[in-house]
């Protein structure tokens, strides 16, 4: 990828140079870093993927990539936990991650210093929530959530038009679950066992059934149990946060049979307690992500756009 980028660099710069304002975007993940050049109109002009290795190796490649372009700002949606409190001494750091080489790494400071632009910074799921709210299916909605069900489970919450941060950032994947009556799996979260992530993320499905989730498409029992846990979490989120729309993304949601099961199970578990026009149209209330897996990188673009306004 890098070699290709350098070979095409001149042509790229000419093509991309025509755009009025270019925003750098970084979706920082534990396995890969997606770097892109976007615009404040939500277009992606170029992108590359870089394998996540140590900060020394990986950050040098990221910085090289962005230095090719005249970016006005950079947005970063980052794996966590991270420090997003502006007044904190360790603002912009990746903190206690299981990726040991990145523990206490000042990712924002490094990028600001190397690129000389303002850097917007938030969690990866908050980025996806912002991407959908700016250019996707929750555009114009003041209260929404984006939940990813993949290797882990997390959510970005938009409340009254703003990303919810609070003390740290919400950790919605780690709420405790009531066990499905037929489930004997004890969960895999090292902290909580049977929390939502421990019971329903991709690895939980694999450990419970002894096969990869993608190989279990035809086994209804798998998806009924999965829907039971997802709906249980969504009912709790709805009670606590009162979203007007909930967006589901991540690898597990690629199983298209799952969403209708979640709809039915949500209604069953809600048991008619909340009756709003939103919940009455459940297909519009709980929806799939709409930006073809670009919600994260587009959210990072928007984090960059918002950093310019500060
Ligand atoms: P990540 O969470 O690592 O960013 P993903 O959202 O793709 O990435 O999640 C990966 C997880 O999703 C894996 O545990 C895998 O089992 C599951 N997964 C990926 N694709 C599918 C699929 N088509 N059907 C079911 N599960 C899937
Ligand atoms: Zn947990």
């Amino acid at each position: 990828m890098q070699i290709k980028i350098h070979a095409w660099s001149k042509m790229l710069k000419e093509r991309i140079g025509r755009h009025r304002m270019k925003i750098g975007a970084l979706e920082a993940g534990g396995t890969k870093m997606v770097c892109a050049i976007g615009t404040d109109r939500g277009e992606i002009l170029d992108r590359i993927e870089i394998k996540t290795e140590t900060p020394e190796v990986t950050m040098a490649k990221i910085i090289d990539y962005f230095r090719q372009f005249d970016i006005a700002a950079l947005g970063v949606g980052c794996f966590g936990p991270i420090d997003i409190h502006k007044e904190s001494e360790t603002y912009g750091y990746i903190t206690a991650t299981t990726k040991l080489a990145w523990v206490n790494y000042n990712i924002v400071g490094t990028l600001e210093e190397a690129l000389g632009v303002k850097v917007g910074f938030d969690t990866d799921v908050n980025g996806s929530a912002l991407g959908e709210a700016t250019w996707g299916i929750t555009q114009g909605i003041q209260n929404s959530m984006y939940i990813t069900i993949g290797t882990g489970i997390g959510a970005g919450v938009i409340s009254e038009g703003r990303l919810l941060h609070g003390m740290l950032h919400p950790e919605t994947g780690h709420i405790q679950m009531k066990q499905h009556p037929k489930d004997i799996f004890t969960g895999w979260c090292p902290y909580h066992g049977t929390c939502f992530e421990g019971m329903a993320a991709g690895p939980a499905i694999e450990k419970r059934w002894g096969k990869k989730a993608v190989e279990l498409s035809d086994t209804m029992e798998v998806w009924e149990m999965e829907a039971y846990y997802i709906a249980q979490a969504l009912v709790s989120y709805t009670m606590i946060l009162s979203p007007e729309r909930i967006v589901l993304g991540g690898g597990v949601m690629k199983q298209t049979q799952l969403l209708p099961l979640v709809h039915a199970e949500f209604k069953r578990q809600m048991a008619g307690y909340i009756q709003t026009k939103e919940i009455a149209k459940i297909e519009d209330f709980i929806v799939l992500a709409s930006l073809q897996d670009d919600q994260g990188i587009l959210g990072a673009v928007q984090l960059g756009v918002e950093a310019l306004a500060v």
Side-chain angles (χ1 to χ4, degrees):
M1 247 343 168
Q2 280 297 98
I3 295 160
K4 184 178 151 225
I5 282 298
H6 287 302
W8 288 96
S9 184
K10 191 162 168 281
M11 219 169 85
L12 252 179
K13 273 192 217 162
E14 278 165 13
R15 176 164 61 83
I16 291 174
R18 278 185 244 126
H19 287 268
R20 190 167 42 104
M21 174 149 65
K22 293 175 286 294
I23 306 289
L26 169 61
E27 199 182 358
T31 52
K32 66 174 193 233
M33 300 281 182
V34 182
C35 303
I37 304 298
T39 72
D40 56 354
R41 287 172 299 217
E43 302 143 312
I44 299 290
L45 306 174
D46 187 62
R47 92 171 71 197
I48 61 163
E49 284 182 11
I50 294 167
K51 191 165 166 269
T52 305
E53 297 174 80
T54 61
E56 291 70 31
V57 173
T58 309
M59 292 305 290
K61 291 181 185 170
I62 290 171
I63 288 162
D64 277 352
Y65 174 74
F66 286 118
R67 275 191 176 145
Q68 298 177 95
F69 309 99
D70 174 29
I71 56 173
L74 176 70
V76 182
C78 190
F79 69 94
I82 57 176
D83 187 344
I84 48 180
H85 281 285
K86 285 256 164 73
E87 68 282 7
S88 162
E89 272 183 24
T90 50
Y91 167 75
Y93 280 56
I94 295 169
T95 57
T97 171
T98 50
K99 281 250 158 203
L100 295 181
W102 295 82
V103 171
N104 295 329
Y105 183 71
N106 183 0
I107 186 166
V108 170
T110 305
L111 290 165
E112 265 173 358
E113 194 179 327
L115 300 171
V117 292
K118 285 190 174 171
V119 176
F121 186 53
D122 216 315
T123 63
D124 42 12
V125 277
N126 274 352
S128 294
L130 189 61
E132 288 289 351
T134 311
W135 290 294
I137 199 152
T138 47
Q139 214 172 332
I141 295 179
Q142 290 295 297
N143 301 284
S144 65
M145 294 185 75
Y146 176 91
I147 301 163
T148 180
I149 305 174
T151 308
I153 296 181
V157 177
I158 295 182
S159 183
E160 316 269 311
R162 295 187 55 191
L163 279 168
L164 183 67
H165 290 124
M167 168 188 71
L168 173 70
H169 40 74
E171 280 289 354
T172 50
H174 294 271
I175 59 169
Q176 272 300 343
M177 290 276 107
K178 181 167 111 187
Q179 195 118 351
H180 186 284
K182 289 190 193 151
D183 194 5
I184 53 162
F185 183 57
T186 50
W188 70 287
C189 175
Y191 294 89
H192 320 108
T194 56
C195 67
F196 185 22
E197 181 170 301
M199 296 305 264
I205 300 174
E206 194 173 331
K207 287 182 209 301
R208 178 187 290 110
W209 302 98
K211 272 189 190 174
K212 284 197 180 307
V214 70
E215 293 162 11
L216 291 160
S217 301
D218 298 332
T219 313
M220 270 309 271
E221 208 185 343
V222 170
W223 306 107
E224 279 166 8
M225 203 173 274
E226 184 68 11
Y228 172 87
Y229 290 118
I230 296 173
Q232 193 182 143
L234 299 195
V235 167
S236 293
Y237 300 157
T238 303
M239 300 298 189
I240 296 168
L241 296 162
S242 213
E244 294 160 279
R245 179 169 286 167
I246 297 175
V247 186
L248 298 176
V252 172
M253 290 313 300
K254 303 251 187 275
Q255 295 293 318
T256 49
Q257 72 279 22
L258 185 52
L259 185 65
L261 296 173
V262 172
H263 287 152
E265 192 56 24
F266 180 92
K267 278 196 191 160
R268 194 187 68 80
Q269 293 189 30
M270 180 54 86
Y273 185 72
I274 296 180
Q275 297 193 8
T276 58
K277 63 180 190 325
E278 288 84 0
I279 291 181
K281 287 185 81 183
I282 193 88
E283 292 81 9
D284 293 338
F285 181 63
I286 303 169
V287 300
L288 294 178
S290 71
L291 295 170
Q292 288 80 41
D293 289 336
D294 276 351
Q295 56 273 21
I297 200 71
L298 283 169
V301 171
Q302 182 61 14
L303 288 171
V305 170
E306 292 182 6
L308 271 182
V310 179

